[in-house]
């Protein structure tokens, strides 16, 4: 009986924890859609007293970008997956 109560309680808690507002879903999915538009590149240049000058760089590619998915489709499907509803607003994407 304890095990059954534990399983039911854990299931109920996980369902409550996974709820996301439409605005939160739109923000999260907008970032994913932006990443599907183009690679994200970062460069850091600096100087410190221990090692002197340094340069660091990174390139981030998403699977959506590599597959050539339309960023608007990425956004819409992401919001539907998170909320079960269509998006409340269109995504604000970067102009390329």
């Amino acid at each position: 009986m304890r095990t059954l109560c534990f399983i039911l309680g854990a299931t109920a808690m996980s369902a409550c924890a996974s709820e996301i507002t439409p605005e939160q879903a739109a923000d999260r999915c907008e970032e994913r859609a932006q990443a599907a538009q183009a690679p994200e590149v970062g460069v850091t240049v600096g100087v410190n007293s221990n090692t002197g000058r340094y340069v660091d760089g990174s390139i981030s590619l998403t699977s959506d970008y590599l597959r050539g998915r339309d960023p608007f489709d990425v956004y819409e499907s992401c919001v539907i997956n998170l909320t079960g509803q269509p998006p409340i607003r269109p995504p604000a994407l970067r102009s390329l």
Side-chain angles (χ1 to χ4, degrees):
M1 186 67 178
R2 279 190 209 163
T3 305
L4 179 61
C5 289
F6 177 75
I7 291 172
L8 291 175
T11 303
M13 287 177 54
S14 68
C16 292
S18 66
E19 286 188 28
I20 184 169
T21 68
E23 188 63 37
Q24 290 170 327
D27 290 342
R28 185 182 302 176
C29 295
E30 192 171 85
E31 290 175 9
R32 183 171 171 189
Q34 288 174 350
Q37 276 187 295
E40 295 185 8
V41 178
V43 177
T44 304
V45 179
V47 177
N48 70 40
S49 59
N50 294 330
T51 60
R53 293 177 262 186
Y54 64 91
V55 177
D56 187 29
S58 65
I59 298 175
S60 175
L61 300 171
T62 65
S63 61
D64 294 324
Y65 172 75
L66 292 174
R67 289 187 298 180
R69 290 190 63 201
D70 178 27
F72 291 100
D73 289 342
V74 170
Y75 175 75
E76 185 173 348
S77 65
C78 177
V79 171
I80 290 171
N81 286 337
L82 291 177
T83 65
Q85 301 173 5
I88 59 171
R89 62 175 166 82
L93 299 177
R94 298 176 290 226
S95 59
L96 299 176

